[in-house]
Amino acid sequence: MFISFIAGGLEFAANVRFVPYVPARTMGRPEDCYPAEGGELEFDALEVDGKDALFLLASHWSDFINEAAYEAAEEYAKEMEDEASIAAYESRMDAWELC
């Protein structure tokens, strides 16, 4: 997924692999319970002003950049989920109008 975000006053563009965090379910029937999963972000590319910035992930800026990128990826994933829900709703409404 391609994201852009601001960290430390710099605007970053990144291509990341993102797995959102899914909290554990520990209540209910045993077959419905599962451990926490996800919460992972891995950079394939990181740029500032079109120049490679992956080296910053090995610096003291690493935690700051990772946190900002994770938040941007979560926001992007939520927007995509919302758009998919709206498209599915509109498709159902279009089908209903044809009846």
Side-chain angles (χ1 to χ4, degrees):
M1 122 185 355
F2 177 80
I3 59 171
S4 60
F5 59 95
I6 296 175
L10 297 173
E11 186 171 345
F12 290 87
N15 191 21
V16 298
R17 284 179 264 162
F18 173 70
V19 179
Y21 177 73
V22 177
R25 180 171 178 165
T26 58
M27 306 272 302
R29 299 183 326 205
E31 60 269 17
D32 294 333
C33 295
Y34 48 84
E37 296 179 340
E40 301 165 7
L41 179 113
E42 185 175 325
F43 288 92
D44 291 326
L46 180 65
E47 296 180 349
V48 174
D49 292 330
K51 295 187 175 50
D52 182 42
L54 278 172
F55 69 93
L56 291 173
L57 297 176
S59 72
H60 66 279
W61 288 93
S62 179
D63 289 341
F64 194 60
I65 292 169
N66 275 301
E67 184 177 314
Y70 189 88
E71 289 174 8
E74 271 187 323
E75 186 175 313
Y76 180 79
K78 177 69 174 135
E79 288 173 7
M80 292 298 102
E81 184 179 308
D82 290 348
E83 286 180 20
S85 294
I86 291 168
Y89 173 79
E90 290 173 346
S91 177
R92 286 192 305 270
M93 289 292 96
D94 289 345
W96 185 74
E97 289 176 1
L98 294 175
C99 294

